Amino acid sequence: MTQTDGDRQHKVRSRTASRVAAVQALFQIEQGSESPERVINQFMRHRLGTSASDQCDYAEGHVPDADARLFGIVVRGAMARQERIDTLLHDILPASWPLARLDPVLRAIMHAAGGEMTGADPIPARVIINEYMDIAHGFLAGDEPRMLNGVLDALSRRINEPAASVTDAGSETVLVVDDAPVADAAPDSKPA
């Protein structure tokens, strides 16, 4: 059985709708200090429309055609890895614009994208960035979408950096990045 262009467009639209709903849910979780599972359940019961018979649209607070499974993955992933995502964002954002100072919708978009990028089996970063840039243009104006693009690009590079490890080579500490040692002249301790 082959997939038609209409089927493919519906799948793309449902994935984008899921991400829109995830951003809305993450915003609600932060603003309402509600538990993630409670908000996920509310969205699943009352806001995610998946059938043609659902007479709801975005204007009424509903998200038609959303993929409920992807919605749950994005929200749970962003919440489960929020500390790691926030640490990475803290390192990326200028000191004059700490994460707490950003618009809450912008933060929700960053958390959703970060949740997907840090997942066990993420889709390509360029796809995630494009999806969340499209969503940003629906919620934000001015320079915020452009700033978001730079932040998400930097976030994807940080997440995909090879992990650095420190090994002890006799009396010299060596930093190993991607199996290439970089000498650190400061030894851990002086030889006896």
Side-chain angles (χ1 to χ4, degrees), residues 106 110 129 133 136-137 140-153:
L106 185 58
M110 289 179 184
I129 292 170
M133 288 305 300
H137 286 291
L140 306 167
D143 290 335
E144 288 176 325
R146 189 172 62 227
M147 187 264 277
L148 176 67
N149 190 33
V151 169
L152 293 183
D153 182 59

Side-chain angles (χ1 to χ4, degrees), residues 27-46:
F27 175 87
Q28 183 175 328
I29 291 165
E30 178 183 319
Q31 295 302 301
S33 299
E34 295 182 63
S35 80
E37 286 305 315
R38 181 174 181 189
V39 172
I40 289 169
N41 288 334
Q42 287 173 354
F43 269 72
M44 296 281 199
R45 281 193 318 266
H46 304 293

Side-chain angles (χ1 to χ4, degrees), residues 15-75:
R15 295 180 70 74
T16 301
S18 303
R19 291 178 172 106
V20 169
V23 168
Q24 292 173 337
L26 290 167
F27 175 87
Q28 183 175 328
I29 291 165
E30 178 183 319
Q31 295 302 301
S33 299
E34 295 182 63
S35 80
E37 286 305 315
R38 181 174 181 189
V39 172
I40 289 169
N41 288 334
Q42 287 173 354
F43 269 72
M44 296 281 199
R45 281 193 318 266
H46 304 293
R47 297 186 67 186
L48 300 184
T50 57
S51 72
S53 65
D54 291 339
Q55 297 299 317
C56 57
D57 62 14
Y58 289 99
E60 297 171 3
H62 292 88
V63 186
D65 299 321
D67 175 344
R69 182 179 164 277
L70 177 61
F71 163 78
I73 289 169
V74 173
V75 175

Side-chain angles (χ1 to χ4, degrees), residues 75-99:
V75 175
R76 287 182 182 103
M79 294 307 299
R81 295 181 292 281
Q82 184 172 348
E83 187 174 320
R84 177 177 180 218
I85 295 164
D86 285 351
T87 299
L88 291 166
L89 290 172
H90 173 75
D91 291 343
I92 293 166
L93 292 167
S96 60
W97 283 95
L99 191 58

